[in-house]
């Protein structure tokens, strides 16, 4: 069926919607084909170069555009982007090489098929599916994509890519792809460098990693800064550990500045042996502790860090509030106990005062003398007062 359709092809690279294509051998009734493509005169390919993406765009009048792109961590993708009312519906779409109109001796060449996954979406070719399309365009052959239109299969939709002006633009596109930064922000956002004990210069491995940091930071305007944190293993004296980490922090910062980074973008800190990553009891552990972490900051990572800091502050405030509440309870208990002790002491004092103040029968001095004089020593009886 595909080969029979290709025999009755329209004139290539025009923007007209063609008339009836007779496909009685396939359907037994006439079928309309909506065909779109840039004419030979209006065919243009435009290159847009960047550090993280390379784009090659081709306008398709009446339909939309084709875009060849190569982006970091994504790879090469060819898309046919129709306008809001254009585009291939869900289903299979074939694509084939179309020789120029003046080469009647050449027949179309089938290049493959691609499945359109969703109506209204761009038709996408990836991986090995892109290669034959590019090969044909470089050789001066047009490429046509053919599938059902969005009218329920009552007509065909054909979209053509013109080879005119493609080779030169493609060369510029390839130059761009050769200079793409091959790593993403996530891949370079945090690196750890290890150093030898008493090292006074950076290792070649460390320089290679820092080259990536500097290259990415200079290319990505979203990078707000770089944070350098240097750590040391435990030394005989705390000052020795602090000096070792300071030396490494300065070596890293100076290297980044030498690579073109602005000094205002770099925050350099050193911590001695305060934050060990492993035990200092073994050589292996000490080697892990001799490290420098380099972190890139953008708006997203800064927001994440601010949320973490806020969460820590909230936890600390909750801890302080809990301690204050516990202290208040203890103070209230102590005050209550003290009040009870004071009340008990006051009651005891009142009892003692009552006993001392109890009235007694008082004797005058004369009465006491009389009693002594009248005492009967022989009988042992005491005189009555």
């Amino acid at each position: 069926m595909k080969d029979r359709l290709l025999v009755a092809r329209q004139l290539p690279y025009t923007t007209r919607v063609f008339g009836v294509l007779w496909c009685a051998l396939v359907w037994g009734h006439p079928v309309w084909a909506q065909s779109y493509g840039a004419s030979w005169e209006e065919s243009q390919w435009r290159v847009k170069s960047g550090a993280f993406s390379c784009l090659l765009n081709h306008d398709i009048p009446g339909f939309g555009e084709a875009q060849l792109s190569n982006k970091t961590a994504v790879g090469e993708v060819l898309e046919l982007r129709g306008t809001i009312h254009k585009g291939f519906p869900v289903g299979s779409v074939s694509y084939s090489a179309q020789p120029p109109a003046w080469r009647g001796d050449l027949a179309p060449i089938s290049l493959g098929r691609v499945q359109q996954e969703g109506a209204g979406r761009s038709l996408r070719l990836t991986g090995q599916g892109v290669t034959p399309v590019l090969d044909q365009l470089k050789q001066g052959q047009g490429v046509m994509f053919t599938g059902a239109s969005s009218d329920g299969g009552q007509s065909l939709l054909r979209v053509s890519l013109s080879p005119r002006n493609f080779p030169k633009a493609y060369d510029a596109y390839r130059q761009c792809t050769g200079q793409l930064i091959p790593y993403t922000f996530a891949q370079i956002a945090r690196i750890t460098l290890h150093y030898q004990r008493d090292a006074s210069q950076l290792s070649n491995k460390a320089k290679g990693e820092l080259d990536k940091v500097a290259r990415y930071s200079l290319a990505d305007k979203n990078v707000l800064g770089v944070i350098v944190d240097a750590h040391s293993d435990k030394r005989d004296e705390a000052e020795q550990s602090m000096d070792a980490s300071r030396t490494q922090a300065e070596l890293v910062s100076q290297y980044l500045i030498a690579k073109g980074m602005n000094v205002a973008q770099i925050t350099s800190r050193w911590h001695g042996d305060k934050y060990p990553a492993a035990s200092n009891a073994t050589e292996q552990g000490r080697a892990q502790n001799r490290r420098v972490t380099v972190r890139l900051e953008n708006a997203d990572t800064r927001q994440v860090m601010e949320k973490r800091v806020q969460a820590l502050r909230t936890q600390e405030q909750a801890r302080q509030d809990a301690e204050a509440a516990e202290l208040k309870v203890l103070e209230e208990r102590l005050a209550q106990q003290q009040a009870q002790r004071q009340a008990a002491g006051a009651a005891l004092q009142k009892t003692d005062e009552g006993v001392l103040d109890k009235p007694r029968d008082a004797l005058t001095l004369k009465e006491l003398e009389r009693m002594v004089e009248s005492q009967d020593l022989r009988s042992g009886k005491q005189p009555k007062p």
Side-chain angles (χ1 to χ4, degrees):
M1 179 179 69
K2 175 181 63 179
D3 295 338
R4 292 171 182 170
L5 284 174
L6 293 176
V7 171
R9 55 187 172 84
Q10 83 284 5
L11 293 175
Y13 325 128
T14 63
T15 60
R16 293 174 294 170
V17 178
F18 286 88
V20 180
L21 294 175
W22 184 253
C23 299
L25 293 176
V26 182
W27 290 283
H29 58 83
V31 176
W32 287 89
Q34 303 176 40
S35 299
Y36 301 94
S39 67
W40 189 257
E41 292 78 15
E42 63 190 359
S43 175
Q44 295 292 332
W45 292 84
R46 304 182 310 278
V47 180
K48 184 177 180 180
S49 300
F52 304 102
S53 67
C54 302
L55 306 178
L56 183 56
N57 292 79
H58 177 59
D59 290 332
I60 305 174
F63 175 80
E65 69 171 0
Q67 183 183 83
L68 177 66
S69 64
N70 195 323
K71 299 179 181 180
T72 299
V74 176
E76 204 156 55
V77 178
L78 177 62
E79 292 183 272
L80 296 185
R81 300 175 171 179
T83 60
I84 190 170
H85 298 297
K86 298 293 191 303
F88 291 97
V90 176
S92 179
V93 177
S94 66
Y95 52 105
S96 57
Q98 300 289 312
W102 57 86
R103 294 297 306 271
D105 57 319
L106 299 177
I109 302 173
S110 175
L111 301 178
R113 305 186 74 86
V114 61
Q115 187 70 22
Q116 172 67 316
E117 299 295 339
R121 297 181 181 177
S122 299
L123 183 68
R124 291 167 56 94
L125 285 178
T126 60
Q128 296 300 319
V130 180
T131 302
V133 175
L134 302 181
D135 290 341
Q136 295 300 320
L137 290 172
K138 286 186 290 183
Q139 295 172 18
Q141 301 267 46
V143 176
M144 179 187 292
F145 293 81
T146 304
S149 66
S150 57
D151 58 5
Q154 298 301 312
S155 64
L156 297 177
L157 176 61
R158 291 182 167 180
V159 179
S160 297
L161 306 182
S162 170
R164 188 173 185 228
N165 296 318
F166 178 81
K168 184 177 180 180
Y170 183 71
D171 288 343
Y173 167 84
R174 293 302 299 170
Q175 290 180 1
C176 174
T177 60
Q179 298 174 359
L180 280 178
I181 293 179
Y183 33 84
T184 64
F185 179 86
Q187 294 170 328
I188 201 70
R190 182 186 179 95
I191 64 172
T192 300
L193 311 174
H194 292 278
Y195 60 92
Q196 296 296 320
R197 186 179 177 89
D198 300 325
S200 59
Q201 60 184 4
L202 297 173
S203 66
N204 290 333
K205 182 178 180 181
K207 291 179 180 179
E209 293 298 308
L210 293 175
D211 286 343
K212 296 179 182 179
V213 172
R215 182 184 179 190
Y216 189 97
S217 300
L218 293 172
D220 188 353
K221 295 180 180 180
N222 294 318
V223 173
L224 301 178
V226 175
I227 300 175
V228 178
D229 285 293
H231 307 268
S232 173
D233 55 359
K234 192 173 184 61
R235 307 292 173 93
D236 294 335
E237 300 290 339
E239 291 183 359
Q240 294 177 342
S241 298
M242 191 63 70
D243 290 342
S245 62
R246 178 175 182 172
T247 297
Q248 296 302 314
E250 292 176 345
L251 286 173
V252 169
S253 300
Q254 291 169 3
Y255 188 86
L256 292 174
I257 294 171
K259 288 296 179 178
M261 289 197 63
N262 191 327
V263 64
Q265 284 187 294
I266 302 173
T267 300
S268 183
R269 305 181 296 198
W270 48 91
H271 309 282
D273 60 358
K274 187 176 181 180
Y275 304 107
S279 172
N280 281 294
T282 65
E283 179 56 38
Q284 182 179 4
R286 291 190 291 272
Q288 293 181 37
N289 291 332
R290 294 191 297 269
R291 69 196 190 279
V292 181
T293 60
V294 182
R295 293 183 290 117
L296 272 65
E297 260 199 324
N298 61 15
D300 292 335
T301 60
R302 181 167 290 183
Q303 185 177 22
V304 170
M305 184 58 66
E306 289 174 351
K307 288 183 178 179
R308 290 179 180 176
V309 171
Q310 183 59 42
L312 291 174
R313 288 176 178 172
T314 301
Q315 293 176 2
E316 178 63 19
Q317 186 62 47
R319 185 188 65 80
Q320 293 179 1
D321 292 344
E323 290 181 352
E326 185 178 356
L327 181 61
K328 184 177 181 181
V329 171
L330 291 175
E331 289 175 346
E332 290 176 351
R333 289 178 180 176
L334 289 174
Q336 185 178 8
Q337 292 174 359
Q338 185 175 6
Q340 291 174 350
R341 287 195 297 268
Q342 289 177 349
L348 180 62
Q349 182 178 5
K350 186 175 182 181
T351 301
D352 292 342
E353 290 175 351
V355 172
L356 294 174
D357 294 341
K358 185 177 180 180
R360 298 179 179 179
D361 295 334
L363 298 177
T364 65
L365 180 60
K366 289 184 177 182
E367 288 176 339
L368 183 59
E369 291 176 348
R370 182 183 62 80
M371 289 177 63
V372 172
E373 291 176 355
S374 61
Q375 185 176 10
D376 187 356
L377 298 177
R378 291 175 297 177
S379 64
K381 296 180 179 179
Q382 299 297 329
K384 293 181 180 181

